[in-house]
């Protein structure tokens, strides 16, 4: 299922500043084949839900290697059957 | 990756009342092997992230068969490495 | 605006176990006038959005007093104009 | 309480395409005093939680005037006490 997702990954238990961890996550997302764009509260990712889930597991494994024992994730996404719509299409439709 | 997820599925474009669709989704979740409990705003599901994603795709396919062309989903979940924790454990820890 | 909200409060930077903090939050919510029900991943709260926001600020202030310097919140909610619908009504409609 | 929020507003029951409604919401947000930036899945907004809640109510009222009887909202946000951090600061910290 193709989706446009908004993913937010919150490392828990490692202090209030999490930017070093977010940088590592960003590197994993950038190295993937998925179209992604980071914003101030998360990352928009376009792709098959299955591939995004695999990416999430890679991010969690990396965080675990860095000592993060608990991770909180939020993801919202929509799927549509009436037409194909990319992240760029979504933004263009409301500009 | 084992997670405890809070899943909310929002059928779009089919009127303000969506309970007939939610009933169909509930039937699919109940028929699955995953531990799940519905609440007023969604469903808590315990299982492998991969299995939950597969369940989401089944729900979307069913909604599509029923004429829903666009579906919005929100899912939050956490994973932890320091100990195993089920939905029941989470509730017991704060009671 | 009357809403039925699903609220999740995530204390950051204080270790992987956050149940002592969640208990304090639960006490604040229970002491309020709002109808609320905790579940494995959050709390459903029924009330005016304004009152729920005030409750969120009280929870954040309490967590700050307990030494939590950063808190992550997720809240999803819906409003409807076609009819009144409580949390109990929502559950009854799909049972 | 100052927060950086990710807000997503989903008009329900008005067909799969909601861009005309999102344009109206964008106009309301742009006309406000709050710092905001739209992305493919929502809008990042920086400000007092109270002001953001008031903005949400204005958006819901506008949608109601346009015939939308039910609206689903998701909002995630974080507050921090250890330092001030704007949306721009958040992005700069991970670039």
């Amino acid at each position: 299922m193709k989706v446009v997702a908004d993913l937010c990954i919150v490392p828990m238990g490692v202090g209030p500043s999490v930017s070093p961890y977010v940088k590592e996550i960003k590197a994993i997302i950038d190295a993937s084949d998925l179209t992604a764009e980071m914003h101030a509260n998360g990352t928009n990712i376009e792709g098959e839900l299955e591939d995004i889930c695999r990416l999430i597991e890679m991010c969690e494994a990396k965080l675990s290697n860095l000592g993060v024992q608990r991770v909180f994730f939020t993801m919202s996404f929509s799927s549509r059957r009436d037409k194909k719509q990319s992240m760029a299409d979504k933004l263009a439709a409301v500009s």
Side-chain angles (χ1 to χ4, degrees), chain A residues 35-55:
Chain A
T35 305
E37 196 154 353
M38 204 172 65
H39 59 81
N41 286 299
T43 301
N44 291 315
I45 308 180
E46 191 180 315
E48 291 294 321
L49 180 59
E50 203 182 329
D51 294 335
I52 295 173
C53 283
R54 235 187 317 261
L55 188 68

Side-chain angles (χ1 to χ4, degrees), chain A residues 1-21:
Chain A
M1 182 170 83
K2 184 86 179 292
V3 299
V4 176
D6 191 356
L7 175 67
C8 178
I9 299 182
V10 181
M12 289 174 69
V14 287
S17 280
V18 295
S19 52
Y21 303 99

Side-chain angles (χ1 to χ4, degrees), chain A residues 58-75:
Chain A
M58 287 172 63
C59 293
E60 192 276 338
K62 179 68 182 180
L63 290 175
S64 169
N65 286 343
L66 296 169
V68 184
Q69 290 184 296
R70 188 173 190 178
V71 187
F72 182 79
F73 304 84
T74 66
M75 183 162 63

